[in-house]
Amino acid sequence: DIQMTQSPSSLSASLGAGVTITCRASQGIRNDLGWYQQKPGKAPKRLIYAASILQSGVPSRFSGSGSGTEFTLTINSLQPEDSATYYCLQHNSYPYTFGQGTKLEIK
Amino acid sequence: EEQVVESGGGLIQPGGSLRLSCAASGFSVNFNYMTWVRQAPGKGLEWVSVVDTDGTTYYADSVKGRFTISRDNSNNTLFLQMDSLTAEDTAVYYCARDQGYIYGLDVWGQGTTVTVSS
C-alpha cells in the first residue's frame, strides 16, 4: 500500500499570510493526487486534482504542485473561510490513501 | 447537477449488520467507479471500498470479508453492506464518485453516521 505522509499536522497563520502543506508518497504516484478541504460537520470538498489543477469555483489563492512523491498545497492571502482541515489523497492505486490531515487556524 | 445522497446509518449493536445506500443523480453509477470513504469521530479520512464499471471490487484490509459494495443500476444507487460490525466501524460514511487516475474523488455526499455500540 502507498503511504501518504502529510505535514504539518496543524498550523496557525495570520489573515492575509500564506501557508504551504506538504504530502510525501512512499512510492511514485505520477500526478494522481488531490487536495481536499473539510470543515467541521461537512463533507470533504475537492480543491485540486491532478496535483496542480484547480477545481472549478475554487479561489485562485489555492495552488498545488508536485509530481512523483513530493506534493505541496499553497494557500496565499489567507481568508477567515480558509480555516479548515486539509487532506491529500493519492488515487494512483487501490487502496487509495489519505494524508493524516492538516488543521489550519487563521489568526 | 451531479450529486449523491447517503442514507441508512444509525445505531447498531456490535456484531450486527447495516446496509448503507447512496442515491446518485445527474450521472449513472454503472458508468462510473463508485467509492465509500469513512471518518471516525475526531479522526482523518479512510478509504473503504470501490466498485468499478466492470463490477470489480476492492476493499480496505480493515473491512475485507465483512463489508460488501454493490450497486443497483436500475435505481442508480450504490450500497455498502456492513456485517460483523465493531466499535471501530463507528464513523461517518461518505459515498463519492471515483474518476480514477488524475481526477480522483469529485462528487461527495453529505455522509451518513454509523454508531456501533451496545
Side-chain angles (χ1 to χ4, degrees):
Chain A
D1 297 0
I2 298 172
Q3 308 303 316
M4 300 301 296
T5 303
Q6 184 174 340
S7 62
S9 56
S10 65
L11 73 162
S12 180
S14 300
L15 199 64
V19 297
T20 297
I21 299 169
T22 299
C23 263
R24 177 178 293 114
S26 59
Q27 63 191 72
I29 58 170
R30 306 183 308 183
N31 64 339
D32 299 327
L33 181 120
W35 289 97
Y36 295 80
Q37 177 193 66
Q38 187 180 35
K39 297 184 177 181
K42 300 295 186 182
K45 170 189 172 184
R46 189 173 68 173
L47 301 174
I48 301 277
Y49 63 94
S52 62
I53 300 177
L54 194 66
Q55 174 74 31
S56 175
V58 173
S60 59
R61 62 179 181 274
F62 291 89
S63 64
S65 65
S67 182
T69 61
E70 296 280 339
F71 302 87
T72 60
L73 172 69
T74 299
I75 313 172
N76 293 316
S77 303
L78 284 167
Q79 300 299 303
E81 60 267 30
D82 298 335
S83 178
T85 301
Y86 294 84
Y87 295 92
C88 62
L89 165 67
Q90 71 81 13
H91 42 84
N92 175 264
S93 63
Y94 298 117
Y96 286 177
T97 42
F98 290 89
Q100 300 91 328
T102 297
K103 187 172 184 178
L104 172 62
E105 175 197 9
I106 310 299
K107 291 186 287 190
Chain B
E1 180 188 5
E2 297 173 327
Q3 64 176 358
V4 294
V5 178
E6 304 94 335
S7 61
L11 175 63
I12 188 76
Q13 292 190 338
S17 298
L18 207 58
R19 188 175 84 155
L20 305 183
S21 299
C22 168
S25 57
F27 69 95
S28 296
V29 297
N30 59 321
F31 294 143
N32 288 274
Y33 288 32
M34 296 297 296
T35 290
W36 289 96
V37 172
R38 69 182 180 181
Q39 186 170 37
K43 303 296 184 182
L45 299 166
E46 179 189 18
W47 178 88
V48 172
S49 181
V50 64
V51 57
D52 73 13
T53 51
D54 293 330
T56 302
T57 58
Y58 298 89
Y59 298 93
D61 286 345
S62 57
V63 307
K64 201 173 295 182
R66 301 187 300 120
F67 288 13
T68 304
I69 191 171
S70 64
R71 60 176 181 238
D72 178 349
N73 296 337
S74 60
N75 288 300
N76 210 27
T77 300
L78 177 75
F79 299 104
L80 186 67
Q81 176 67 40
M82 304 186 297
D83 299 321
S84 303
L85 286 162
T86 73
E88 287 66 45
D89 298 314
T90 294
V92 176
Y93 285 74
Y94 297 101
C95 162
R97 182 172 68 178
D98 180 354
Q99 297 276 56
Y101 298 133
I102 300 178
Y103 300 104
L105 308 183
D106 61 345
V107 178
W108 292 67
Q110 83 291 346
T112 187
T113 301
V114 174
T115 303
V116 184
S117 175
S118 55

